[in-house]
């Protein structure tokens, strides 16, 4: 599906997300050159969709990390976090960035980063849970009686 959108619908609103998703699939399949190529195209046509752009930076960071380009990977992960801080993508970028910070013996920075992300995630989760709460029913509606009504 992503290939079809990329091939035929370059002017579609789905083109940028399709490039990013195709890059993610290529990365997961170990096809780094393809992943990098799709990301290059994605960054050329990027839209204002911060969540998709954050995912693109996350993927690029993973690639740069695997290639040993730690400074570039750090920048990519930081960009992903900055673009969409309370998202799943930001949580993943935080984990990867923290691993690099630990690898480069920047332990305090790694701990601070993880603590900040945990606080953001908790805040987002509590807001999401509160928004989904169902107001409680009045006591008269919550009591079930087994007696038939008196005639």
């Amino acid at each position: 599906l992503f290939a079809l959108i990329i091939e035929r619908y370059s002017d579609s609103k789905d083109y940028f997300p399709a490039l990013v998703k195709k890059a993610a699939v290529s990365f997961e399949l170990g096809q780094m050159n393809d992943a990098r190529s799709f990301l290059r195209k994605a960054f050329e046509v990027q839209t204002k969709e911060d969540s998709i752009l954050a995912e693109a930076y996350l993927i690029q960071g993973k690639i740069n990390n695997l290639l040993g380009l730690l400074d570039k990977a750090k920048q990519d992960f930081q960009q992903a976090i900055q673009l969409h801080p309370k998202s799943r993508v930001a949580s993943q970028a935080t984990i990867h960035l923290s691993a690099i910070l630990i690898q480069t013996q920047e332990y305090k920075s790694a701990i601070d980063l993880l603590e900040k992300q945990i606080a953001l995630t908790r805040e987002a989760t509590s807001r999401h849970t509160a928004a989904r709460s169902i107001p409680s029913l009045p006591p008269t509606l919550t009591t079930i009686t087994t007696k038939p009504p008196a005639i």
Side-chain angles (χ1 to χ4, degrees):
L1 178 63
F2 302 130
L4 179 68
I5 292 170
I6 292 168
E7 183 181 312
R8 296 186 185 171
Y9 303 103
S10 62
D11 58 345
S12 166
K13 67 177 178 54
D14 296 323
Y15 184 65
F16 174 64
L19 285 169
V20 173
K21 295 297 182 187
K22 186 69 174 166
V25 169
S26 296
F27 174 79
E28 293 300 324
L29 294 174
Q31 301 165 347
M32 296 304 145
N33 289 334
D34 290 344
R36 292 177 82 188
S37 175
F38 288 118
L39 284 173
R40 257 187 248 106
K41 287 180 191 174
F43 286 123
E44 288 173 10
V45 300
Q46 67 181 299
T47 63
K48 299 287 183 199
E49 296 178 62
D50 287 350
S51 62
I52 305 294
L53 187 55
E55 187 173 355
Y57 277 107
L58 172 66
I59 298 162
Q60 183 171 276
K62 289 178 179 181
I63 293 169
N64 285 330
N65 191 22
L66 283 175
L67 296 175
L69 305 171
L70 299 185
D71 287 336
K72 287 184 179 183
K74 278 176 155 180
Q75 291 172 357
D76 293 329
F77 294 137
Q78 288 167 338
Q79 189 67 28
I81 295 165
Q82 182 181 348
L83 282 167
H84 210 237
K86 297 178 183 179
S87 68
R88 172 193 56 81
V89 169
S91 295
Q92 290 178 1
T94 298
I95 292 167
H96 289 287
L97 179 54
S98 296
I100 292 172
L101 293 171
I102 290 168
Q103 184 179 350
T104 57
Q105 299 180 352
E106 299 173 64
Y107 305 113
K108 174 86 169 100
S109 296
I111 291 168
D112 291 346
L113 180 67
L114 288 167
E115 287 176 343
K116 181 179 176 183
Q117 189 62 41
I118 289 168
L120 285 172
T121 303
R122 280 187 183 145
E123 178 186 324
T125 303
S126 66
R127 268 199 225 145
H128 180 69
T129 303
R132 290 183 37 192
S133 295
I134 300 171
S136 58
L137 296 172
T140 55
L141 295 177
T142 59
T143 308
I144 299 175
T145 177
T146 55
K147 288 184 183 180
I151 301 182

